[in-house]
Amino acid sequence: MERWEYRTLKFFTKGFFTGGTLDIKEFDNELNAMGSNGWELVSCFDTNQHQGSSKEVICVFKRKK
């Protein structure tokens, strides 16, 4: 039976009035670092802040134990 371990990362957006901007360079760097360590991204979603803007982006990764 395969066993998996999971890890969750949370990225906070910036700017309340600008609609919650995500630092794409930081986001890409972190995703690439996780991938280099054998983690696979299985889900990514955002949470609502105000009138549809994003407060944070949550990413879930898995890899075999």
Side-chain angles (χ1 to χ4, degrees):
M1 181 166 105
E2 289 184 322
R3 294 189 176 265
W4 301 92
E5 62 180 324
Y6 296 89
R7 180 153 183 211
T8 303
L9 291 183
K10 188 184 295 187
F11 298 90
F12 294 95
T13 61
K14 297 179 173 97
F16 183 77
F17 294 108
T18 60
T21 305
L22 183 65
D23 183 339
I24 296 297
K25 185 175 181 179
E26 175 191 357
F27 186 71
D28 286 346
N29 287 341
E30 196 64 40
L31 293 180
N32 286 324
M34 293 294 289
S36 294
N37 288 313
W39 292 96
E40 177 184 4
L41 179 65
V42 294
S43 182
C44 191
F45 56 92
D46 67 330
T47 61
N48 191 329
Q49 174 174 278
H50 176 69
Q51 296 183 352
S53 65
S54 297
K55 180 178 181 179
E56 55 199 17
V57 176
I58 299 170
C59 298
V60 180
F61 297 83
K62 74 174 184 178
R63 72 176 175 186
K64 288 184 180 179
K65 267 190 158 183

